């Protein structure tokens, strides 16, 4: 990114620095334009010093910040570059230049795989592909970790469910045994009562009587002595 800033609305020209020759794919960012209320799309005309023709790029404006692509040919030479900010009349034909940004790429050695404006450096392509592959690998690793965590959670849930089922089965067994014991107690008590009825003897006037007759009382037997 190539940066330039206007200190006031009255300032007509701003300079940008730290630009190098052969810096492919650069953008020009211009700040300090808020007071001008530029439209969302504004033309920027780039020209090399000494040339009569400028290359047009359409820049975007957001919150007073203008960003436009820098033509590659402007970075192939260590020559001054002029960037003219040009606005179109909204209600009529034509327009006008309102600001100018200048910068000069610093000279450096030419890369061995230098490109034309319509090409891309082989090394740039390779680095971009490697970065994309690395990002994808990181996404894959993250997905694998999440899947492993999900599987572990499912396993823990299954173990807990199995333990709960075992405890429920044990409780059911204990309840059945308790029910059987209670049923046996009822049977024993019933037998004891039956025995009591069977052995019941009725005494009259506190003495014994001869000629004992036997009577059934509620399913049991009793002896009556007159």
């Amino acid at each position: 990114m190539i940066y330039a800033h206007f200190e006031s609305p009255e300032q007509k020209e701003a300079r940008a620095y730290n630009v190098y020759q052969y810096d492919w794919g650069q953008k020009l960012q211009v700040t300090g334009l808020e007071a001008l209320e530029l439209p969302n799309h504004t033309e920027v005309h780039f020209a090399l010093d000494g040339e009569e023709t400028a290359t047009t790029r359409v820049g975007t404006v957001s919150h007073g910040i203008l960003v436009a692509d820098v033509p590659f040919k402007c970075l192939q030479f260590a020559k001054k570059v002029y960037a003219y900010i040009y606005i179109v009349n909204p209600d009529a034909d034509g327009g006008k230049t309102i600001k100018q940004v200048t910068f000069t790429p610093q000279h450096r050695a030419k890369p061995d795989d230098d490109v034309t404006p319509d090409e891309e450096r082989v090394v740039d392509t390779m680095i971009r592909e490697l970065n994309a592959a690395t990002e994808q690998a990181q996404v894959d690793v993250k997905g694998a970790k999440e899947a492993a965590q999900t599987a572990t959670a499912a396993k823990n849930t299954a173990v807990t469910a199995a333990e709960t089922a075992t405890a429920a089965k044990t409780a059911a067994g204990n309840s059945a045994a308790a029910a059987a014991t209670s049923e046996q107690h009822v049977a024993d008590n019933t037998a004891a009562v039956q025995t009591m009825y069977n052995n019941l003897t009725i005494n009259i006037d506190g003495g014994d009587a001869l000629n004992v007759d036997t009577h059934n009382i509620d399913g049991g037997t009793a002896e009556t002595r007159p």
Side-chain angles (χ1 to χ4, degrees):
M1 187 75 74
I2 300 172
Y3 299 96
H5 178 71
F6 286 89
E7 299 291 342
S8 68
E10 294 74 24
Q11 182 181 346
K12 294 298 182 181
E13 180 179 350
R15 293 186 59 82
Y17 301 92
N18 299 323
V19 184
Y20 280 88
Q21 191 179 1
Y22 306 113
D23 285 355
W24 185 86
Q26 290 294 305
K27 295 179 181 292
L28 174 64
Q29 177 176 293
V30 185
T31 57
L33 304 174
E34 293 85 355
L36 300 179
E37 297 183 352
L38 297 176
N40 292 334
H41 298 89
T42 300
E43 292 183 25
V44 182
H45 303 156
F46 292 89
L48 287 168
D49 187 29
E51 291 191 354
E52 298 296 328
T53 303
T55 301
T56 301
R57 292 288 184 268
V58 177
T60 58
V61 180
S62 178
H63 303 291
I65 301 175
L66 170 65
V67 178
D69 293 329
V70 179
F72 180 74
K73 74 172 187 177
C74 293
L75 299 170
Q76 285 184 303
F77 308 97
K79 298 173 64 174
K80 180 180 287 188
V81 178
Y82 300 91
Y84 304 100
I85 301 174
Y86 180 89
I87 59 173
V88 177
N89 294 329
D91 302 322
D93 294 337
K96 63 179 181 179
T97 301
I98 59 170
K99 300 286 184 182
Q100 172 182 307
V101 175
T102 60
F103 60 88
T104 302
Q106 298 181 46
H107 176 73
R108 52 148 291 179
K110 182 178 180 179
D112 57 2
D113 60 343
D114 188 32
V115 296
T116 66
D118 297 327
E119 296 175 336
E120 187 173 341
R121 295 178 66 233
V122 174
V123 174
D124 288 353
T125 302
M126 181 179 66
I127 291 176
R128 188 174 293 109
E129 291 176 351
L130 287 173
N131 288 337
T134 300
E135 291 177 359
Q136 184 59 48
Q138 291 173 344
V139 170
D140 293 342
V141 170
K142 181 180 179 181
K145 288 182 178 179
E146 291 176 349
Q149 291 172 352
T150 300
T152 300
K155 179 181 178 182
N156 292 338
T157 300
V159 170
T160 300
E163 291 174 348
T164 301
T166 299
K169 181 178 179 181
T170 301
N174 292 338
S175 296
T181 300
S182 177
E183 183 177 356
Q184 183 61 46
H185 287 166
V186 171
D188 293 343
N189 290 337
T190 300
V193 170
Q194 186 66 43
T195 300
M196 287 176 60
Y197 275 113
N198 291 339
N199 295 328
L200 181 61
T201 298
I202 299 176
N203 293 320
I204 299 176
D205 294 333
D208 293 332
L210 298 177
N211 301 323
V212 176
D213 292 329
T214 300
H215 303 277
N216 291 326
I217 301 176
D218 294 335
T221 59
E223 293 178 348
T224 301
R225 299 185 180 184

